[in-house]
Amino acid sequence: MGLSWQQGPLSPVAIGRFLVPDPLPKRLLYAEPLRRRMRVRFGGKWIADSEDVLLLFEPRRYPVAYFPEGHISPESLQRTEHTTQHQDLGLTSWYTVRAGDRSAPRGAWQHIELPTYASDLRARVAFAWPAMEAFYEEDERILGHAADGYHRIDIRQTSRSLVVRQHDRIVADTKRPVVLYESGFAPRWYVMRADVDESALTHIERQTFCPYKGLCSYYDIGDAHQAAWSYREAYPEVGRISDLVSFEADIVSVQLDGTQLRLEPGQAVMPHGPDRGLTVSEMLPLKQP
């Protein structure tokens, strides 16, 4: 997903390759200015506010936002004795984050013995995403992780034939599917509900959240568990897939123009990175008036 994970160019399983004469290091880290105002809220207070945030892209991780020390409320950080060793960036010191009556042990960290090549991160602090109350760009809350400027979604209408079967039952049959192309993922095919036999779908309680598309609901199809999903109210930026249904090609039969689709490398979600731990409930208040 984006630059550094799934099959992005900095991922160990990149789908493409750099056309260079000599092999590149197995791990490439990349840092660049976010060029957006980002704020961190914790304990009901703004504890960080900066227009000088640096994003670090690390293989198999979402981008991580690093704030200048001077743009963080000094009373909110309490250095602990806990340290770790980053395989590329050296000794890392951890902080307890405090604000109001709340505290988050190991809620922030700082690389304190950076190699020369990584000096861009000197005197900068990163916050553990799930430990904080919220992150904002300007006045809008950002969920999941810092926005990856290299993550892209394109949605295209097509007249190709798509047929979904579970055993001998036709679950969906359409000549107007919508295909969603997303950085790091193989194409996903979505079907209008008018072209789906909805009696075949059994809604289940499971929900997940995508920072780019919104809340996702899931369905069983007979004995095929979690075989279909739908973003019932997708974010406006990807509103064309709202309430459409997509099907997992490794669980049920999905044929495109008569060719059986298979699960391709890069289709499965890989939950890696310090931003993990996000729960669906974190985004639910955004839907309330």
Side-chain angles (χ1 to χ4, degrees):
M1 204 175 197
L3 186 64
S4 57
W5 83 295
Q6 289 297 136
Q7 293 183 302
L10 300 185
S11 167
V13 291
I15 194 171
R17 67 186 185 92
F18 291 97
L19 302 180
V20 293
D22 299 314
L24 293 172
K26 289 185 178 180
R27 286 177 53 84
L28 283 173
L29 275 62
Y30 178 72
E32 73 173 29
L34 176 62
R35 294 187 290 193
R36 306 181 189 186
R37 180 193 183 196
M38 179 176 277
R39 299 189 288 170
V40 183
R41 193 165 181 84
F42 183 71
K45 298 181 178 180
W46 297 110
I47 62 170
D49 186 340
S50 180
E51 295 183 58
D52 184 26
V53 172
L54 195 71
L55 285 190
L56 175 67
F57 295 84
E58 186 176 347
R60 290 183 180 270
R61 292 182 182 270
Y62 290 121
V64 176
Y66 282 78
F67 290 77
E69 287 179 321
H71 296 183
I72 301 170
S73 300
E75 65 274 12
S76 67
L77 295 180
Q78 178 182 332
R79 192 183 295 272
T80 70
E81 296 182 357
H82 180 70
T83 60
T84 54
Q85 188 73 25
H86 190 283
Q87 66 184 100
D88 304 291
L89 302 175
L91 189 66
T92 302
S93 180
W94 290 79
Y95 295 92
T96 294
V97 179
R98 299 186 183 278
D101 59 355
R102 293 193 60 191
S103 66
R106 302 182 190 178
W109 69 89
Q110 183 179 42
H111 306 297
I112 57 175
E113 292 184 0
L114 287 161
T116 302
Y117 63 78
S119 61
D120 294 35
L121 295 173
R122 188 163 291 127
R124 290 180 177 267
V125 174
F127 294 91
W129 200 281
M132 297 299 98
E133 184 178 299
F135 287 74
Y136 285 75
E137 288 180 358
E138 295 295 345
D139 294 334
E140 294 196 14
R141 187 177 176 188
I142 305 301
L143 291 170
H145 55 79
D148 185 341
Y150 297 92
H151 183 94
R152 180 184 176 118
I153 293 177
D154 293 296
I155 300 171
R156 300 289 183 262
Q157 183 69 56
T158 181
S159 57
R160 301 173 72 177
S161 172
L162 189 82
V163 179
V164 180
R165 292 183 174 87
Q166 168 62 357
H167 303 310
D168 294 330
R169 183 176 187 176
I170 295 179
V171 179
D173 187 350
T174 186
K175 289 184 172 59
R176 52 178 180 174
V178 171
V179 57
L180 182 143
Y181 301 103
E182 184 168 5
S183 301
F185 290 94
R188 294 295 201 176
W189 300 85
Y190 285 80
V191 181
M192 296 180 183
R193 287 184 180 265
D195 297 333
V196 176
D197 178 1
E198 292 201 64
S199 67
L201 306 181
T202 302
H203 181 264
I204 60 177
E205 291 301 316
R206 181 177 187 243
Q207 285 185 308
T208 60
F209 166 71
C210 170
Y212 300 98
K213 298 190 291 291
L215 263 183
C216 185
S217 300
Y218 291 84
Y219 304 89
D220 290 344
I221 301 176
D223 58 359
H225 300 296
Q226 298 179 29
W229 70 89
S230 177
Y231 291 90
R232 301 303 300 265
E233 296 180 52
Y235 283 167
E237 294 83 356
V238 292
R240 292 173 66 185
I241 65 164
S242 281
D243 208 27
L244 274 59
V245 183
S246 191
F247 300 88
E248 195 66 81
D250 64 326
I251 299 178
V252 291
S253 170
V254 181
Q255 290 189 332
L256 180 66
D257 286 342
T259 299
Q260 186 75 34
L261 297 183
R262 303 292 181 188
L263 183 67
E264 300 178 28
Q267 282 191 304
V269 174
M270 298 187 298
H272 291 282
D275 60 298
R276 297 298 77 202
L278 179 77
T279 61
V280 167
S281 62
E282 288 191 55
M283 69 85 61
L284 290 178
L286 298 185
K287 297 175 64 63
Q288 297 173 357

